[in-house]
């Protein structure tokens, strides 16, 4: 029997007890410890208790497992004094393990804490602001929060209850026990009743998810949100402490410079002294992370604040700053709130200036200001009065990792049989239309299909924003955004001189529809991405835009559409962020004003073929 102390960066601490000699750690249900953040792999690491020793094994995780600042590449013996870093979590083992015989495995434990509802600060694998993100090849893990250091045990605690989630100290009577599950995780499985286990919670009310926390009172206001005060208090108070710290730091140095720079060494001691003052004034309590505040203040004073860490994460596709306390990030599953924040609206404005300065632009008073940074990152800033709540920042990053078709199968986006069908279509250079909602995976699937082209084929990719990542030796990417006033239609006039074997167009829009349709109807090897809720809606959208371009609302374009595309692939994002190909349809010849869509695959509680067979497979 042994215990593991788990501390999330800037969050609450938990102690979990286990009666097995081997446990797994990962992001999804099925692990003994579930850390539901995207910088934790589905099956990240394993801890084995053997011969009174703890052995830590990394399970080929994406971001790696670190011990005391070093990434492990082989099984390693760890002791209770070692700090284990997995994503944004710090784990520590208890003293002197006692070997026990293996026990039957029971329902898996979940280690985390639910973020507050009124201020959604749950972060999809990104952690708190300040510092850089640890990539797989990074030499060091995130800095150690001081709160975590103080929380690690120095003496052996009494043996925990078998396989139950406990906290290191009983909470005060006025505070409800912290919840140990995230609201994004599915409801935990029912645990069989055992004498040593706490009484089971009552079943959730009808219409309410089982993962929602019980209604509790906010210990500071005396009433309020249905969330755990152990999680709410540090998040809200951390932002208040950072705001006060930045106000005092501004009296000692200029924190409004338009360009990023290194933090002056002469102000390091000033910053430490200011934090000491805040502690003496009671602004910073023992439950708030001093190191976090130091890093956040430095990053906001001379850098991009919390965006420094986000934009250094290779998984981040887009970042949106709605308000100082609400930042969203897209790591491939759509935008979701993160636990980072700015100290004030003024800080958001300063960071907007610094972002535009990367493109040698100045922040003006125009309602909408756009810039493309070196490397392809696109920045958009909306200013008051268009954005009454203050500057609104949107940053769209080019993909860093090429999309892999086999990787999509592994992730459950589509089945092996579906991929075989699409590969056959690519080999025959069929024209394919990929449809789905914004942030639903259209660009990712388009990139993966394009990567299936043969090595000798030349690929020309047209896009208005850096969204395609094609793994192919012969890719020519044309940026339509670099030609103000021009679009895909104008660029098509020049594509022919590049002699492409395959043309890829991402995010087709209305005014370009007719020109692209005419091109696809006469060429082979055309792949087009279009944002639409369904294949039928996509075809209707193309037809409508083409009719408007021709000025003939009654013109039937079904025969043109039938010649333009042979296959339509629909991809969408589930409520939990998972992406999935839900249909593959073959477009049959148009009869008058109608198109025949023949379903080849459907997702209905699993990927299933229909009774139809693709006609091109018999060619």
């Amino acid at each position: 029997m042994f215990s593991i102390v788990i501390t999330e960066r800037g969050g609450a601490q938990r102690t979990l007890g286990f009666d097995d000699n081997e446990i797994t750690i990962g992001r999804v249900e099925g692990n003994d410890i579930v850390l539901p953040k995207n910088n934790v792999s589905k099956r990240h690491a394993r801890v084995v208790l053997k011969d009174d020793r703890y052995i830590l094994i990394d399970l080929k995780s994406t971001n790696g497992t670190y011990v005391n600042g070093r990434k492990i590449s082989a099984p390693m013996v760890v002791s209770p004094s070692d700090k284990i870093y997995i994503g944004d979590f710090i784990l520590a083992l208890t003293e002197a393990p006692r070997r026990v015989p293996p026990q039957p495995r029971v329902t898996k434990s979940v280690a985390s804490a639910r973020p507050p509802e009124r201020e959604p600060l749950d972060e999809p694998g990104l952690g708190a602001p300040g510092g850089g993100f640890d990539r797989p090849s990074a030499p060091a893990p995130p800095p150690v929060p001081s709160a975590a250091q103080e929380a690690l045990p120095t003496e052996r605690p009494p043996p925990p209850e078998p396989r139950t989630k406990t906290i290191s100290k009983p909470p005060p009577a006025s505070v409800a026990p912290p919840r140990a599950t995230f609201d994004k995780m599915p409801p935990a499985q029912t645990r069989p009743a055992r004498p040593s286990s706490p009484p089971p919670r009552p079943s959730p009310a009808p219409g309410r998810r089982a993962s929602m926390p019980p209604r509790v009172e906010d210990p500071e206001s005396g009433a309020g949100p249905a969330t755990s005060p152990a999680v709410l208090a540090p998040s809200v108070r951390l932002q208040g402490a950072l705001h006060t710290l930045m106000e005092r730091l501004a009296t000692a140095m200029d924190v409004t410079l338009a360009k990023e720079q290194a933090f002056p060494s002469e102000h390091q001691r000033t910053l430490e002294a200011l934090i000491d003052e805040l502690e003496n004034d009671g602004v910073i309590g023992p439950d708030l992370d001093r190191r976090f505040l130091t890093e956040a203040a430095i990053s906001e004073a001379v850098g991009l604040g919390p965006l420094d860490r986000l934009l250094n994460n290779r998984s981040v596709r887009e970042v949106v700053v709605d308000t100082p306390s609400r930042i969203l990030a897209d790591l491939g599953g759509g935008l979701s709130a993160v636990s980072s924040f700015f100290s004030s609206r003024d800080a958001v404005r300063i960071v907007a200036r610094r972002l535009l300065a990367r493109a040698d632009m100045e922040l003006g008073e125009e309602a909408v200001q756009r810039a493309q940074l070196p490397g392809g990152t696109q920045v958009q800033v909306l200013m008051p009065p268009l954005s009454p709540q203050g500057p609104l920042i949107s940053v769209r990053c080019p993909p860093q990792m090429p999309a892999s078709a086999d990787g999509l199968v592994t992730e459950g986006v589509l089945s092996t049989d579906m991929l075989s069908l699409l590969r056959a279509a690519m080999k025959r250079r069929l024209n394919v239309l990929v449809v789905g909602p914004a942030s639903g995976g259209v660009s990712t699937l388009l990139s993966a299909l394009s990567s299936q082209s043969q090595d000798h084929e030349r690929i020309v990719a047209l896009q208005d924003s850096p969204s395609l990542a094609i793994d192919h030796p012969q890719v020519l990417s044309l940026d339509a955004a670099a030609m103000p006033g021009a679009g895909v239609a104008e660029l098509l006039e020049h594509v022919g001189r590049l002699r492409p074997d395959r043309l890829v167009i991402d995010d087709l829009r209305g005014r370009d529809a007719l020109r692209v349709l005419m091109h696809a109807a006469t060429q082979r090897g055309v792949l087009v991405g279009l944002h639409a809720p369904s294949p039928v809606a996509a075809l209707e959208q193309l037809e409508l835009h083409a009719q408007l371009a021709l000025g003939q609302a009654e013109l039937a374009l079904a025969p043109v559409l039938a010649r333009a595309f042979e296959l339509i692939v629909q991809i969408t994002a589930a409520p939990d962020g998972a992406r999935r190909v839900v249909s593959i349809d073959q477009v049959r010849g148009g009869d008058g004003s109608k198109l025949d869509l023949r379903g080849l695959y459907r997702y209905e509680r699993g990927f299933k073929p229909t009774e139809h067979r693709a006609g091109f497979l018999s060619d």
Side-chain angles (χ1 to χ4, degrees):
M1 181 181 298
F2 64 96
S3 301
I4 295 183
V5 179
I6 303 171
T7 305
E8 183 182 2
R9 182 178 175 83
Q13 179 195 76
R14 297 291 182 270
T15 300
L16 304 185
F18 301 94
D19 55 8
D20 288 337
N21 289 343
E22 177 179 330
I23 63 169
T24 58
I25 306 168
R27 188 177 74 243
V28 299
E29 288 290 339
N31 293 285
D32 297 286
I33 298 178
V34 178
L35 307 176
K37 288 199 174 182
N38 281 9
N39 60 359
V40 179
S41 297
K42 292 181 179 179
R43 286 178 55 83
H44 197 106
R46 178 185 295 120
V47 177
V48 179
L49 175 57
K50 184 177 181 181
D51 298 330
D52 291 338
R53 297 187 303 171
Y54 294 117
I55 302 175
L56 177 64
I57 304 170
D58 181 79
L59 301 179
K60 298 181 179 180
S61 61
T62 301
N63 292 330
T65 303
Y66 296 82
V67 176
N68 299 331
R70 293 184 179 274
K71 184 177 181 180
I72 67 172
S73 57
M76 178 178 180
V77 176
V78 293
S79 65
S81 61
D82 292 323
K83 312 296 188 302
I84 303 171
Y85 298 87
I86 295 179
D88 292 326
F89 298 87
I90 304 173
L91 287 70
L93 300 157
T94 56
E95 294 279 0
R98 179 170 55 88
R99 190 178 180 187
V100 297
Q103 301 292 330
R105 302 179 77 84
V106 296
T107 305
K108 308 302 180 183
S109 301
V110 178
S112 54
R114 185 186 187 280
E117 288 185 355
R118 66 178 179 185
E119 292 203 26
L121 299 175
D122 174 41
E123 178 169 9
L126 301 171
F133 182 83
D134 291 312
R135 302 181 182 180
S137 58
V144 182
S146 58
Q149 292 176 330
E150 298 173 358
L152 296 180
T154 56
E155 297 182 1
R156 182 179 180 182
E161 297 291 341
R163 307 293 297 178
T164 58
K165 295 183 279 291
T166 61
I167 56 176
S168 55
K169 293 182 180 181
S174 60
V175 179
R179 185 173 173 78
T181 58
F182 275 81
D183 62 342
K184 294 184 179 180
M185 298 299 297
Q189 302 175 12
T190 304
R191 185 190 305 275
R194 302 167 72 179
S196 58
S197 300
R201 289 194 178 107
S203 301
R208 184 179 183 183
R209 293 178 298 173
S211 57
M212 293 287 288
R215 184 86 182 173
V216 298
E217 299 296 319
D218 185 341
E220 297 185 346
S221 65
T227 187
S228 169
V231 179
L232 173 65
S235 299
V236 176
R237 292 176 58 205
L238 269 175
Q239 187 176 19
L242 178 61
H243 177 70
T244 304
L245 178 60
M246 293 305 299
E247 285 183 334
R248 298 189 183 185
L249 182 62
T251 63
M253 63 174 289
D254 187 0
V255 298
T256 65
L257 296 175
K259 292 189 177 182
E260 302 157 74
Q261 62 174 354
F263 190 75
S265 58
E266 62 268 22
H267 290 300
Q268 292 281 356
R269 292 185 178 179
T270 301
L271 182 59
E272 292 294 328
L274 290 174
I275 294 179
D276 289 339
E277 290 180 6
L278 293 180
E279 288 182 339
N280 295 332
D281 294 344
V283 178
I284 301 178
D287 59 326
L288 298 187
D289 191 340
R290 181 187 178 106
R291 170 170 280 187
F292 162 79
L293 286 173
T294 302
E295 295 171 354
I298 291 175
S299 183
E300 196 170 284
V302 297
L304 301 180
L307 300 192
D308 276 330
R309 185 177 181 88
L310 294 172
L311 298 183
N312 283 331
N313 183 347
R314 299 179 65 186
S315 300
V316 170
R317 302 183 179 187
E318 188 172 3
V319 178
V320 176
V321 180
D322 284 347
T323 64
S325 59
R326 181 173 173 81
I327 302 176
L328 310 175
D330 180 4
L331 285 86
L335 289 173
S336 58
V338 303
S339 61
S340 302
F341 47 79
F342 287 92
S343 65
S344 63
R345 289 187 181 182
D346 289 338
V348 176
R349 183 185 292 268
I350 293 169
V351 167
R353 291 176 58 198
R354 291 171 182 167
L355 277 171
L356 294 181
R358 289 187 175 187
D360 295 325
M361 291 180 56
E362 293 185 0
L363 180 66
E365 297 300 325
E366 296 86 352
V368 181
Q369 300 170 62
R370 296 186 179 94
Q372 180 162 317
L373 309 184
T377 298
Q378 293 188 337
V379 177
Q380 175 176 275
V381 181
L382 305 184
M383 297 290 292
L386 177 61
S387 173
Q389 69 272 24
L392 192 154
I393 304 174
S394 172
V395 183
R396 190 166 186 180
C397 308
Q400 300 294 322
M401 300 294 292
S404 166
D406 291 324
L408 295 183
V409 173
T410 303
E411 295 173 10
V413 177
L414 72 169
S415 67
T416 303
D417 292 340
M418 297 165 76
L419 178 57
S420 298
L421 174 70
L422 295 176
R423 278 176 170 159
M426 295 296 296
K427 185 176 181 180
R428 290 164 173 77
R429 298 184 61 220
L430 300 187
N431 293 353
V432 180
L433 177 64
V434 179
V435 303
S439 300
V442 172
S443 299
T444 301
L445 181 57
L446 207 59
S447 299
L449 293 179
S450 303
S451 301
Q452 302 303 302
S453 303
Q454 299 183 49
D455 289 348
H456 68 272
E457 294 182 333
R458 286 169 56 81
I459 301 176
V460 173
L462 303 183
Q463 51 186 334
D464 283 332
S465 58
S467 53
L468 296 176
I470 302 173
D471 185 13
H472 192 273
Q474 298 194 58
V475 179
L476 302 175
S477 182
L478 302 183
D479 184 4
M483 296 179 59
V488 172
E490 288 78 9
L491 291 176
L492 281 176
E493 298 178 4
H494 308 286
V495 167
R497 297 183 180 181
L498 300 177
R499 304 186 66 179
D501 297 299
R502 197 174 301 278
L503 175 65
V504 184
I505 302 175
D506 187 28
D507 194 10
L508 179 62
R509 299 178 185 178
R511 68 189 186 96
D512 301 318
L514 179 61
R515 183 68 180 87
V516 171
L517 277 178
M518 300 305 296
H519 181 88
T522 58
Q523 302 292 328
R524 295 178 64 83
V526 178
L527 282 77
V528 175
L530 177 66
H531 291 152
S534 68
V536 173
L539 293 174
E540 291 176 347
Q541 181 177 323
L542 287 174
E543 187 173 9
L544 176 61
H545 288 308
Q547 288 173 346
L548 292 176
L550 290 170
Q552 301 182 42
E554 299 299 328
L555 181 63
L557 293 174
V560 178
L561 290 168
R563 290 195 300 271
F565 301 106
E566 285 98 337
L567 282 182
I568 301 181
V569 184
Q570 180 188 3
I571 186 171
T572 189
D576 61 357
R579 293 170 173 178
R580 185 176 296 118
V581 173
V582 294
S583 69
I584 300 178
D585 295 286
Q586 184 173 10
V587 183
R588 308 295 290 184
D591 180 13
S593 60
K594 296 182 179 180
L595 280 176
D596 177 20
L597 290 184
R598 181 166 297 179
L600 304 178
Y601 279 91
R602 291 287 186 269
Y603 181 86
E604 298 174 354
R605 297 183 180 179
F607 300 109
K608 300 177 183 179
T610 67
E611 68 277 10
H612 300 296
R613 175 178 171 82
F616 61 85
L617 293 179
S618 58
D619 294 344

